[in-house]
Amino acid sequence: MRGPLLTENDAPSAFRRIGVVVPVYGHSRFAVEAVRSACEQMLATPPIVAVVDDGCPNPETQHALTACRARYPGRVISLRQRNGGLSAARNTGVRALLGLFPDTDAIFFLDADNRLENYAIAAYSAALGAEEGAGWAFPDVHAFGLTPMVDGVDVRETTVADSALRHRRGNISEAGSLVRSEVFRAGVFYDETMKFGLEDWDFWLSAREAGFHGVRVTDPGFLYRVRPESMVAQSRRQTDEIMAGMQRKHFDLFARSAILADEHEEAPRFLMADLETGALRATSDPVLPGRKMTLREAVALFEKHLSGIHEHDVPPMLVAHHGRAAAEVEWRKDLRSLFFEALAEPVTGPHILSIRAADHASRFVGDTRRARKDLEAAEALIALIPLNELSRLAFERPKRPGLALVRDVTRVEHWSLPTLEPVPPFPGHVGRKRRIARLSALLRPFTRVSQARPLQHASRFYRGPIVKDVRELMADDLCGYAPFKPFPFIPGGRERCLVAVAPASLADEALQDAFGRFCERLSRAGLRLSLALDGQTANPAFARAAQAADFENILLDPVPAPPPADFGFMGSDIPVQDPSKHARLMALARGHDALITFGITDFLPFAGEAKGDKILTILALDDVLIERDAVRGRDPVTVAAAYEHAHHAIAAGVKGRKALANCGVPSSRLVPTEALAFTIKSRLAH
């Protein structure tokens, strides 16, 4: 779509001077069109166009560039260099413009086979200048040439707004973008070693790492010529290899904590609906408030999603909750673990969790035919509803969609959650038989908008990363461990540590006190702690462990597995991996920055895999543990020596470090227990 032609009086002037870089290698006729379109921009101060001949062997290219200089004297700079590739040519143009014209505020990149409408750079500069902190403005692509459209032009979107989450999976910013000069002055340039395309994607990721973000230009006047032999077409053949290279190069950007934090902000997984108050919030962490919404706002978002499922994201899981399980205080530390365990099973239909208090965690699957009674009678209840179920209900048009949904429940789970104190009666019992009516009131507007047939623009196409794929291929694959989704523990600026302890390590008061002192040191250092109790634990031992420090999460172990097999090593029994726990424990470890085992636990055999997965692994052996020989009848020093290579460090007291050194553990791997918190923070910082 062509925008209105501008005059010099109409052109906005967000920047004093703008430069344009046009790399050229062949395509002499196209290059003339590109340079002409850049020079004829309607700006108060005409742009300076740096044309970089990247060692093109064709004499026609030199003739074309000579003609351009003659037509636009003083406005076209012609540079020639030995062939170094597209990245090198762009960098040469940038350095030339910034060197010759230090007052250049922004630089536009225009490939030789593309062109601009005369209002384009003014539109870019208006968008970029309007958003403080934005480093670049990127366009919707108006494609021409090899396109299927009757009028020869189609519009290709990559995102409706800048998205750090989507940008990790694919390039949402076309190279034809306007970039502030501050980005280059911050040391961000194109990687000249990339020869197979997608070097612009790498450039934008580097700019994000430097603290910049982009802004979308909705009517940019940027025309992209589609050719079968383009570098983008060739680069798709090496997509997997390039993707792996991106993750290695931009390690911090692809860190699990960074991915989950951006998912929580941009594309949360859950739409939490409180059936008591009617409050709604979108979040990827059931404990965090997330983004508060009204029912009207949530329905409007769902309607946008239906009209453009790739462009507009909506939380895929509607969570209708009632009672103590989702209250502000009760069972707050267990809630993340509850979601983590419940969602390990694929939720293909409505899924109900009914919850009660007990002295340990347990779970059993109930009769789905009693789902309605469970919904009416449970003290605390959580209903997990995939939003695609609402589209099905729209065609059935039930008068009571809540009841219709409950009739199709595919799974009912009855949970017992551990509690440290007697649970008083919950005042929400009054009117609990009205829950289905409240659920129907919640679902009715969603099903209503599902009945309308969405309208779509015939000449607009979405070509960017799809959030569903981003979740599955980025968040789930990198942060979870199939079939477990990522542990829903969104980072908040502090390091996250998973502290695992076995019941045998809490067998008496001396051991409990030692564990308490150990956890208090970590907590005082500002580390965020999760407690993983290895197996079912009696209430007194559980209470002492849970009260030892300020744990943010209590990780449930609802289905105890049989004790793992052992093998002999230096006269002692050494635990080995239990295949039934492998996926669960690895997914839990991936949800944290550090895995700390206090004594010998079921996590110990998985420490080597966690270490290879970029998780800091620590084995803690208190002198009390060694003196009492209290860990399942094993010699903890011998076990620690057997798993020494699986840990970054072993923390112990004076006696423990001496005993470990006598078993051949190098002193460089031994850390005083008092210095463990400092060791964790310094290692994670690097």
Side-chain angles (χ1 to χ4, degrees), residues 18-335:
I18 294 176
V20 179
V21 174
V22 183
V24 178
Y25 187 88
H27 309 302
S28 57
R29 182 174 64 85
F30 295 160
V32 171
E33 293 181 11
V35 173
R36 182 175 62 192
S37 70
C39 290
E40 294 182 355
Q41 291 297 300
M42 303 303 292
L43 295 172
T45 302
I48 302 297
V49 182
V51 185
V52 183
D53 178 356
D54 189 33
C56 180
N58 302 331
E60 294 84 1
T61 299
Q62 289 299 312
H63 298 329
L65 299 184
T66 300
C68 288
R69 291 195 303 271
R71 182 167 182 175
Y72 303 102
R75 294 169 58 184
V76 176
I77 302 171
S78 182
L79 307 168
R80 181 174 172 82
Q81 66 179 23
R82 180 180 298 177
N83 180 257
L86 184 58
S87 295
R90 287 173 176 167
N91 289 340
T92 297
V94 169
R95 292 188 174 100
L97 287 173
L98 295 180
L100 295 173
F101 304 95
D103 61 340
T104 300
D105 294 318
I107 295 176
F108 188 88
F109 292 101
L110 179 64
D111 287 350
D113 51 350
N114 300 328
R115 62 175 186 251
L116 300 171
E117 299 285 10
N118 72 329
Y119 65 89
I121 293 183
Y124 277 93
S125 62
L128 185 58
E131 182 160 338
E132 185 178 356
W136 71 93
F138 62 92
D140 287 346
V141 175
H142 291 212
F144 71 102
L146 191 66
T147 75
M149 301 310 299
V150 175
D151 58 1
V153 176
D154 62 72
V155 179
R156 304 183 180 189
E157 299 175 348
T158 55
T159 180
V160 295
D162 183 56
S163 169
L165 183 65
R166 294 185 192 231
H167 219 163
R168 290 180 174 89
R169 186 61 200 172
N171 188 18
I172 63 173
S173 298
E174 160 63 33
S177 298
L178 182 66
V179 185
R180 289 185 189 269
S181 298
E182 285 83 352
V183 174
F184 307 109
R185 295 189 177 105
V188 180
F189 285 89
Y190 284 89
D191 185 347
E192 299 183 12
T193 65
M194 297 188 69
K195 304 291 186 180
F196 301 106
L198 300 184
E199 62 287 318
D200 47 331
W201 183 22
D202 173 76
F203 175 79
W204 304 126
L205 294 182
S206 298
R208 287 192 183 279
E209 289 179 317
F212 299 97
H213 68 275
V215 57
R216 177 191 177 207
V217 188
T218 54
D219 185 17
F222 173 76
L223 300 177
Y224 178 86
R225 191 186 306 269
V226 180
R227 297 183 292 109
E229 77 279 10
S230 69
M231 290 184 65
V232 172
Q234 296 175 29
S235 67
R236 287 181 181 138
R237 304 186 189 107
Q238 295 99 4
T239 298
D240 292 340
E241 179 182 347
I242 292 175
M243 187 68 200
M246 292 288 186
Q247 293 182 18
R248 290 192 299 268
K249 181 176 181 181
H250 304 282
F251 179 80
D252 290 341
L253 202 60
F254 284 89
R256 298 185 185 95
S257 58
I259 291 174
L260 292 180
D262 283 338
E263 180 198 77
H264 176 66
E265 292 294 328
E266 298 180 17
R269 291 176 181 251
F270 310 118
L271 181 60
M272 306 279 292
D274 191 333
L275 295 180
E276 280 289 310
T277 65
L280 279 83
R281 55 193 172 97
T283 181
S284 282
D285 185 336
V287 173
L288 296 184
R291 185 169 71 249
K292 294 183 179 179
M293 311 175 74
T294 65
L295 181 58
R296 179 175 295 182
E297 291 171 339
V299 172
L301 180 63
F302 185 55
E303 188 174 17
K304 286 183 178 180
H305 172 73
L306 293 177
S307 62
I309 59 174
H310 300 326
E311 299 95 321
H312 300 279
D313 181 64
V314 67
M317 189 67 66
L318 175 62
V319 182
H321 57 84
H322 181 281
R324 195 181 307 280
E328 289 294 324
V329 179
E330 295 290 346
W331 294 325
R332 185 183 183 91
K333 296 182 178 181
D334 303 293
L335 200 54

Side-chain angles (χ1 to χ4, degrees), residues 593-628:
D593 301 308
L595 170 61
I596 306 172
T597 56
F598 185 82
I600 311 306
T601 78
D602 284 352
F603 279 89
L604 193 60
F606 300 95
E609 184 173 352
K611 181 181 179 182
D613 213 9
K614 310 299 183 184
I615 299 167
L616 180 64
T617 55
I618 304 290
L619 174 57
L621 285 182
D622 194 274
D623 284 345
V624 178
L625 283 173
I626 298 175
E627 292 171 358
R628 300 288 183 90

Side-chain angles (χ1 to χ4, degrees), residues 534-566:
D534 184 0
Q536 298 292 296
T537 307
N539 194 43
F542 166 79
R544 293 298 296 267
Q547 293 172 347
D550 183 20
F551 290 104
E552 294 198 25
N553 303 297
I554 305 295
L555 304 185
L556 309 174
D557 195 3
V559 184
D566 298 333

